[in-house]
């Protein structure tokens, strides 16, 4: 029923024979890869055999597309604060106690959102496999890499690095979502300090959105506009409610809108 509703309201067609709902396309100077991160998801995996087969084929096609930029779209960010330590605490919180608490004080309400993250122990090996797959494409093709995500109710930017290779991660919240509370934002800032060594040669860093005030998160309703230059440059603008836009550029020449 969920698949039928998805295809009807978001794809405008009947459910196809394939079990995978990913999309891969080229647009302007970019190859865009949007994997299906739901159809095969369980508590222990994000993608199954069919999903990984599709993704490897999509990345292989992007590698020979001749495009300068690869845009990878993930429903949850590839690089965020280190929330994984909360996963076992929230999922293991006694349900009989949670039922006695007011909704606002019930930590169980966040359990599924936290377990959805790439970094939790259940998904860690699959997450590393994905990061290596993207970085290997960059090594092979010299394509510039960008990951687009939402999910945290805040605007943010992070980088994933392996040697000289960089994946830029841009995060924008759902535009109707209320911003997180100041306490939650403070906690996110605290978790986001410094460089996080992920695995041998890979590390991630939450970058400043407001360097002057050392803030890594945009606490406002926001939406993201992205321009990709013909040679792989990036210009990103977070447009925010009741706040100044936040911009980031790593441009090597005049951008062409995506």
């Amino acid at each position: 029923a969920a698949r039928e509703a998805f295809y009807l309201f978001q794809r405008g067609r009947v459910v196809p024979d394939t079990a995978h709902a990913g999309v891969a396309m080229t647009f302007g100077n970019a190859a865009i890869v949007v994997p299906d991160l739901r159809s095969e998801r369980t508590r222990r995996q994000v993608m199954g055999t069919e999903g990984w087969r599709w993704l490897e084929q999509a990345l292989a096609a992007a590698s020979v597309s001749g495009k300068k930029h690869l845009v990878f779209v993930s429903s949850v960010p590839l690089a965020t604060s280190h929330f994984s330590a909360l996963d076992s605490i929230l999922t293991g919180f006694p349900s009989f106690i949670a039922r006695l608490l007011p909704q606002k004080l019930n930590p169980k309400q966040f359990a599924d959102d936290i377990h959805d993250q790439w970094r939790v122990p259940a998904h860690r090996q699959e997450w590393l496999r994905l990061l290596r797959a993207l970085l290997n494409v960059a090594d092979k093709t010299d394509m510039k890499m960008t990951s687009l995500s939402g999910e945290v109710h805040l605007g943010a930017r992070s980088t994933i690095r392996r040697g000289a290779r960089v994946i830029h991660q841009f995060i924008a919240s759902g535009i109707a979502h209320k911003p997180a509370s100041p306490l939650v934002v403070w906690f996110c800032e605290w978790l986001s300090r410094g460089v996080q060594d992920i695995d041998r040669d890979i590390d991630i860093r939450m970058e400043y959105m407001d360097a002057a005030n050392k803030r890594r998160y945009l606490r406002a309703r926001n939406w993201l506009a992205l321009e990709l230059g013909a040679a792989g440059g990036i210009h990103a603008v977070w447009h925010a409610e009741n706040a100044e836009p936040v911009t980031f550029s790593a441009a090597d020449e005049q951008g062409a809108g995506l």
Side-chain angles (χ1 to χ4, degrees):
R3 285 180 58 79
E4 290 177 358
F6 167 79
Y7 274 95
L8 176 62
F9 290 102
Q10 296 196 37
R11 297 283 171 84
R13 60 192 180 98
V14 298
V15 178
D17 292 335
T18 177
H20 197 271
V23 174
M25 68 184 78
T26 58
F27 188 87
N29 65 313
I32 304 171
V33 176
V34 189
D36 178 0
L37 304 180
R38 292 295 168 188
S39 293
E40 297 174 290
R41 179 180 283 270
T42 69
R43 299 291 293 180
R44 303 300 304 176
Q45 71 177 29
V46 179
M47 290 184 288
T49 302
E50 178 63 28
W52 274 104
R53 182 184 298 116
W54 181 93
L55 179 59
E56 288 165 353
Q57 292 173 350
L59 292 178
S63 297
V64 297
S65 67
K67 302 301 180 180
K68 297 292 185 180
H69 212 115
L70 190 145
V71 178
F72 182 83
V73 182
S74 172
S75 53
V76 295
L78 299 184
T80 58
S81 298
H82 200 334
F83 295 118
S84 59
L86 298 175
D87 183 48
S88 59
I89 296 173
L90 296 179
T91 56
F93 190 83
S95 297
F96 74 92
I97 296 178
R99 286 193 291 267
L100 300 176
L101 296 173
Q103 180 64 20
K104 290 184 178 181
L105 299 178
N106 183 359
K108 205 77 171 177
Q109 65 179 304
F110 303 110
D112 284 344
D113 284 343
I114 294 297
H115 193 77
D116 216 23
Q117 302 298 316
W118 279 104
R119 295 189 65 174
V120 299
H123 304 150
R124 179 179 175 82
Q125 292 307 312
E126 196 171 1
W127 176 50
L128 292 174
R129 178 182 177 183
L130 175 58
L131 294 183
R132 292 193 186 99
L134 294 174
L135 290 165
N136 288 344
V137 171
D139 285 339
K140 178 180 177 181
T141 65
D142 208 31
M143 296 175 80
K144 302 299 188 297
M145 311 291 288
T146 297
S147 176
L148 300 180
S149 300
E151 193 65 17
V152 296
H153 294 210
L154 300 163
R157 178 174 70 88
S158 57
T159 51
I160 303 161
R161 298 179 185 272
R162 185 174 69 182
R165 296 298 177 192
V166 180
I167 301 174
H168 291 280
Q169 168 74 73
F170 300 129
I171 305 168
S173 64
I175 197 167
H177 292 174
K178 294 180 180 179
S181 70
L183 179 60
V184 169
V185 176
W186 176 88
F187 187 59
C188 291
E189 293 279 1
W190 183 77
L191 287 174
S192 301
R193 297 170 298 171
V195 177
Q196 304 171 51
D197 294 321
I198 301 306
D199 185 65
R200 299 195 305 272
D201 52 351
I202 301 176
D203 62 63
I204 66 175
R205 182 197 300 267
M206 296 302 299
E207 307 289 354
Y208 285 124
M209 296 287 280
D210 180 356
N213 294 301
K214 296 185 177 181
R215 294 177 180 172
R216 297 175 178 85
Y217 294 92
L218 173 62
R219 185 178 173 265
R221 299 178 195 265
N222 65 89
W223 61 275
L224 174 66
L226 182 67
E227 293 183 0
L228 305 178
I234 311 167
H235 182 71
V237 182
W238 286 261
H239 298 271
E241 180 182 43
N242 300 323
E244 291 296 318
V246 176
T247 63
F248 166 77
S249 292
D252 42 26
E253 60 181 66
Q254 184 64 35
L258 175 66

